[in-house]
Amino acid sequence: MNNKKCVCIGVSGGIAVYKALDIISALKKKDIDVRVIMTESATKFVTPLSFQSLSQNMVVTDMFAEPKAFEIQHISLAKRADVFLVAPATANIIGKVANGISDDMLSTTIMATRAKVIFAPAMNTNMYENMIVQDNIEKLKKYGYEFIEPASGRLACGDIGTGKLADVNTIVERVLEVLNNQDKSKELQGKNVLISAGPTHSKIDPVRFITNRSTGKMGYYIAEEAKARGANVTLVSGPTNINPPTGINVINVTTNEEMKNAMLDNFKNSDIVIKSAAVADYKAKNYSNEKIKKSEEDLVLTFVRDNDILKILGEQKNNQVLVGFAAESNNIIENAKNKLQKKNLDYIVANDITSADTGFGSEDNKVIIISKDGEEIYLDKMSKKEVASKIFETILRKR
Ligand code: CTP
């Protein structure tokens, strides 16, 4: 019995066929069982023997398919695949699948599989931009097929534009990520995860407010990660420019008060609550219903304390796992530990906001996860997506 993960690679004809060899060799290094189906035109660019040698499996092509073997093979490969990658994907194979045509080994197997199918298109720019191809891509995306966008550059035909097969590493990383997500896709099944993200606004008058530099990225990645692990996710989001991931319940808020209410409404039913929002601690003492006019005098505004939402949640906590963030510029551990205790948290994710290439607005973060039992996990600088994953790894490990 073969317990290895299986990636089925459909290779359709085009000058980029040889790059599929690099994809196979990268996946083989990860101990993945790679199966290859080549269309007849793909075999004109590189021989099946090259694919067979690298994948260490028989390559299925239409040329040699006998009717009987064909029937069995396309069903068994369709079932065996954990991920189905079509690379390079031509306009032809995309068009066939989008329109339900299955007249060769590759299109038949794609039609029969329940595995995640990822297309990595490669073709001439004009072909790629043709509305028919674009319509087919949109249609397939709607049905849950995934596309790895082709890159721009000089194409084999001499044209310059979009249509080059995406970078091999990008393709391999995405395949590995999908396999990895499959492993963890049931970890939080049936659990309700509540997350807050982004800044809040303290309104001064109808046109003015104060806020902070939070972009919401960290919280959105946490929401995506919770979803990938099978949770029912509610994301309470302050104003951001991020498109919310699909399949999660998003509640948009602007002020501290609105965020507090949305969090309290959902708190009781939640199993894990992660508060990554950068909430304004103060609000204008007197909100002006009319726009404040300028005068010759200095302008003095008074701000008063607003809700500490996380503290309120900590006071109402029953069985929820409660996680806060601590944005610190000095005495990181000490300040974070104080917050953990004062707000009755289970974990606090502390980060140093003085570092230029991590924290607010950047793609990366360097954090320390502190648990209420005193464990301190020092993480290297990594993408916010990876930080999101580490947070759940820590919570799940300790449950
Ligand atoms: N938080 C909150 N409500 C506030 C302020 C913060 O819910 N009014 C939450 C944040 O979402 C975060 C944690 O509390 O999870 C810590 O936020 P941070 O801004 O680091 O700390 P503060 O408690 O505001 O303390 P200070 O600003 O003095 O460092």
Side-chain angles (χ1 to χ4, degrees):
M1 175 75 182
N2 187 350
N3 286 326
K4 285 183 185 177
K5 291 277 178 187
C6 175
V7 175
C8 189
I9 303 191
V11 185
S12 57
I15 192 68
V17 166
Y18 73 96
K19 292 187 185 165
L21 294 171
D22 290 338
I23 298 175
I24 292 166
S25 106
L27 292 174
K28 287 298 288 182
K29 279 187 193 138
K30 298 280 177 189
D31 203 27
I32 289 167
D33 180 19
V34 181
R35 306 295 174 112
V36 180
I37 303 174
M38 298 179 79
T39 62
E40 190 168 347
S41 54
T43 64
K44 305 269 197 286
F45 289 89
V46 180
T47 63
L49 186 61
S50 310
F51 283 93
Q52 189 178 312
S53 313
L54 275 180
S55 70
Q56 291 161 354
N57 273 319
M58 283 299 291
V59 171
V60 182
T61 64
D62 290 318
M63 290 186 302
F64 307 113
E66 287 176 20
K68 256 191 166 166
F70 178 93
E71 189 54 37
I72 297 163
Q73 247 170 355
H74 87 268
I75 296 298
S76 67
L77 267 182
K79 280 191 185 154
R80 170 88 182 93
D82 294 300
V83 171
F84 204 113
L85 170 71
V86 189
T90 56
N92 189 42
I93 189 69
I94 293 168
K96 276 193 202 177
V97 181
N99 292 286
I101 298 168
S102 42
D103 62 351
D104 62 7
M105 191 64 179
L106 180 55
S107 50
T108 315
T109 316
I110 295 173
M111 211 59 80
T113 193
R114 284 177 185 267
K116 171 105 185 162
V117 180
I118 305 173
F119 288 94
M123 65 193 81
N124 166 274
T125 305
N126 291 346
M127 273 177 98
Y128 183 68
E129 288 173 355
N130 187 309
M131 286 315 298
I132 300 172
V133 173
Q134 287 301 317
D135 279 352
N136 287 335
I137 291 176
E138 283 316 307
K139 183 173 172 187
L140 287 171
K141 279 185 183 168
K142 221 171 51 205
Y143 290 135
Y145 291 83
E146 187 175 315
F147 282 79
I148 301 179
E149 301 284 313
S152 286
R154 191 173 184 283
L155 305 177
C157 54
D159 286 0
I160 294 180
T162 307
K164 272 165 79 87
L165 185 73
D167 178 54
V168 166
N169 286 336
T170 309
I171 297 173
V172 171
E173 268 168 31
R174 181 58 196 148
V175 170
L176 295 176
E177 189 176 44
V178 172
L179 287 174
N180 192 22
N181 284 346
Q182 284 170 353
D183 283 343
K184 57 189 191 185
S185 68
K186 292 199 170 68
E187 283 177 357
L188 291 175
Q189 207 168 40
K191 300 284 175 206
N192 296 327
V193 177
L194 174 64
I195 296 151
S196 77
T200 62
H201 290 182
S202 306
K203 296 177 181 176
I204 295 167
D205 71 11
V207 292
R208 301 181 178 98
F209 56 85
I210 59 163
T211 187
N212 56 65
R213 289 173 52 210
S214 167
T215 57
K217 274 184 200 162
M218 192 62 242
Y220 277 67
Y221 280 126
I222 293 172
E224 236 174 64
E225 185 64 28
K227 176 87 186 81
R229 289 174 190 255
N232 308 314
V233 183
T234 300
L235 174 66
V236 175
S237 175
T240 71
N241 289 321
I242 311 175
N243 284 332
T246 50
I248 66 171
N249 173 29
V250 182
I251 304 173
N252 289 305
V253 296
T254 307
T255 62
N256 173 317
E257 186 69 17
E258 288 166 5
M259 184 171 278
K260 182 193 86 177
N261 292 336
M263 291 301 285
L264 283 176
D265 285 348
N266 290 281
F267 189 63
K268 254 207 193 100
N269 287 331
S270 297
D271 300 292
I272 299 174
V273 179
I274 305 181
K275 203 141 189 325
S276 72
V279 187
D281 286 313
Y282 294 89
K283 64 180 173 190
K285 185 171 184 185
N286 298 309
Y287 173 77
S288 166
N289 285 320
E290 275 147 33
K291 186 182 163 199
I292 300 171
K293 287 289 190 191
K294 68 171 165 297
S295 71
E296 294 312 311
E297 305 299 312
D298 288 347
L299 175 68
V300 178
L301 291 170
T302 305
F303 287 89
V304 293
R305 279 297 308 271
D306 210 341
N307 310 300
D308 187 330
I309 305 172
L310 191 54
K311 189 155 180 277
I312 298 170
L313 298 180
E315 284 157 7
Q316 301 200 0
K317 191 170 85 165
N318 293 318
N319 295 317
Q320 295 90 341
V321 174
L322 189 56
V323 185
F325 271 70
E328 305 296 343
S329 53
N330 61 322
N331 293 338
I332 300 177
I333 301 290
E334 194 188 322
N335 286 335
K337 279 185 169 168
N338 279 340
K339 284 178 193 172
L340 179 125
Q341 214 182 16
K342 250 186 22 212
K343 303 192 189 198
N344 192 21
L345 308 179
D346 296 281
Y347 300 93
I348 193 146
V349 183
N351 66 326
D352 179 354
I353 51 163
T354 57
S355 158
D357 57 347
T358 59
F360 280 125
S362 86
E363 266 309 314
D364 295 327
N365 217 346
K366 186 163 186 275
V367 305
I368 304 147
I369 304 178
I370 305 171
S371 67
K372 72 170 175 209
D373 63 17
E375 191 187 3
E376 296 168 16
I377 304 168
Y378 289 77
L379 298 176
D380 292 333
K381 177 180 155 184
M382 58 179 70
S383 70
K384 288 185 172 171
K385 196 174 162 59
E386 287 170 302
V387 172
S389 179
K390 293 283 181 198
I391 293 171
F392 285 107
E393 263 174 39
T394 308
I395 296 174
L396 286 161
R397 178 166 54 80
K398 289 198 177 244
R399 268 201 319 181

